[in-house]
Amino acid sequence: MLAYTYMEQGKFALVDKPKPVLLQARDAIVRVTLGSVCTSDLHIKHGSVPRAVPGITVGHEMVGVVEEVGTAVTAVKPGDRVTVNVETFCGKCFFCQRGWVNNCTDPDGGWALGCRIDGGQAEYVRVPYADQGLNKIPDSVSDLQALLVGDVLATGYWAAQISEIRPEDAVLIIGAGPTGICTLQCVRLKGPKRIIVCDKDPRRLDFVRAHYPEVITAPPERVMETVRAHGAHGGADVVLEAAGAPETFRMAWECARPNATVTVVALYDGPQTLPLPTMYGKNLTFKTGGVDGCSCDETLALIAAGKLDTVPLITHTYPLKDIEAAYDLFEHRRDGVIKVAIEV
């Protein structure tokens, strides 16, 4: 089968690999119908994910049809259309039992697919712990509607959950890329008084204004004055950082009012510094880490009810055989790209 593979730092290649087989009783084999390219894939390509294993098939954002299940799998069966979770989690360890599935203690726990074990930019994928890692797609929801459920939408939903947003809050979201827009959609479900989105790309701010007209937008050079104008106490009550650059990390805590919550959603290329002497006295609460993606049934239900819609984010579609062109477009942000779907 065709599989897009991490060869070495700086190099991916489309190669022929054997179709995966069941290795454990809790595994499933999924025939991939639609995948996507994620910024985290680029982090692997450029060496920013030390855990990534050369030789693995990349890709962790996909939907498909269950082809085969192990003897211990009960939640799905062959023929089911499913989303595939970005995380592998056993469902039984200390962390899984508390919903912290990113920290599952299984050797393949956390972000494994497309990083430490073969992922889904391929014709087939083996999914460990299928009862936890697969969610059935409702009949009223298309593959395209469900494509982002297992990763980037899960990230936005998790970020909104842990930020403890209240109706009176002014919320700042930094970054209007795929993660930022998914976070925006999930923040809107919380009903805060004001939402402000900051991005340096005018086309992305245009996208926000076109699809979410009630949201206030600001470029970086105006974001501080904007949050002060719309926040009742000198800044944003909650800041969600979804851009992942040193300047946006600093912007996040600078734009937060004292005693605010700063939720870091982004994955960075390098270490960030907390300038504690400078921010002393702001009494900020930082929430950081990898997504705990265990609410996919909830987001699928919200999609079915028309309360979440990520289809407008998918601006381009390529067949698997042309995935290198898809990566080139996505990495260099050409032609107004937000997300790229890969048809298998």
Side-chain angles (χ1 to χ4, degrees), residues 42 90 151 165 176 197 201 209 211:
L42 297 177
C90 71
D151 181 26
I165 296 164
V197 172
D201 187 337
R209 286 189 286 267
H211 290 86

Side-chain angles (χ1 to χ4, degrees), residues 33 50 65 106 115 131 152 165 198 209 236 249 272 327 329 337:
T33 57
V65 178
D106 186 86
C115 178
D131 282 346
V152 69
I165 296 164
C198 174
R209 286 189 286 267
F249 181 78
Q272 304 303 306
Y327 263 82
L329 174 87
V337 65

Side-chain angles (χ1 to χ4, degrees), residues 27-312:
D27 289 353
I29 304 300
V30 175
R31 175 173 58 83
V32 180
T33 57
L34 203 61
S36 185
V37 179
C38 181
T39 303
S40 300
D41 298 322
L42 297 177
H43 287 302
I44 290 176
K45 180 180 178 181
H46 296 300
S48 301
V49 184
R51 294 178 301 166
V53 178
I56 58 99
T57 302
V58 293
H60 52 269
E61 204 163 48
M62 71 212 87
V63 297
V65 178
V66 176
E67 176 134 318
E68 188 179 1
V69 298
T71 56
V73 175
T74 60
V76 296
K77 63 184 184 304
D80 285 344
R81 287 192 309 130
V82 292
T83 63
V84 180
N85 200 301
V86 63
E87 289 163 333
T88 299
F89 55 102
C90 71
K92 296 181 178 181
C93 70
F94 171 86
F95 295 102
C96 285
Q97 287 292 304
R98 288 156 179 79
W100 304 327
V101 300
N102 182 60
N103 301 109
C104 174
T105 56
D106 186 86
D108 286 333
W111 176 26
L113 284 171
C115 178
R116 292 177 282 126
I117 61 175
D118 284 336
Q121 288 173 6
E123 296 176 72
Y124 295 88
V125 61
R126 179 184 68 91
V127 181
Y129 297 121
D131 282 346
Q132 281 70 46
L134 300 179
N135 294 84
K136 288 192 283 188
I137 301 172
D139 290 341
S140 62
V141 174
S142 69
D143 285 4
L144 193 64
Q145 287 175 295
L147 176 58
L148 306 185
V149 163
D151 181 26
V152 69
L153 185 57
T155 300
Y157 196 75
W158 162 81
Q161 281 182 314
I162 68 171
S163 295
E164 302 178 50
I165 296 164
R166 301 166 301 176
E168 65 268 27
D169 283 345
V171 178
L172 170 64
I173 299 169
I174 301 173
T179 302
I181 297 297
C182 286
T183 300
L184 166 61
Q185 288 206 18
C186 298
V187 165
R188 290 170 79 233
L189 297 174
K190 303 293 184 181
K193 186 175 182 180
R194 296 280 187 276
I195 303 175
I196 303 158
V197 172
C198 174
D199 200 283
K200 64 182 180 181
D201 187 337
R203 294 172 299 180
R204 293 192 166 180
L205 295 183
D206 288 343
F207 180 92
V208 172
R209 286 189 286 267
H211 290 86
Y212 317 101
E214 79 283 6
V215 173
I216 300 159
T217 60
E221 60 271 19
R222 293 212 330 266
V223 66
M224 183 66 78
E225 66 183 79
T226 303
V227 296
R228 285 177 175 167
H230 294 280
H233 305 288
D237 301 288
V238 177
V239 181
L240 299 102
E241 208 292 82
E247 60 269 24
T248 56
F249 181 78
R250 183 178 184 88
M251 182 189 297
W253 66 263
E254 286 184 335
C255 288
R257 64 153 170 82
N259 299 281
T261 295
V262 178
T263 299
V264 178
V265 189
L267 178 64
Y268 296 92
D269 279 329
Q272 304 303 306
T273 301
L274 276 179
L276 295 176
T278 307
M279 65 170 62
Y280 181 79
K282 288 199 83 169
N283 297 348
L284 300 174
T285 297
F286 279 81
K287 298 195 173 187
T288 69
V291 52
D292 290 312
C294 51
S295 301
C296 294
D297 278 337
E298 294 174 33
T299 53
L300 283 165
L302 288 164
I303 291 170
K307 295 181 179 180
L308 291 173
D309 180 16
T310 58
V311 170

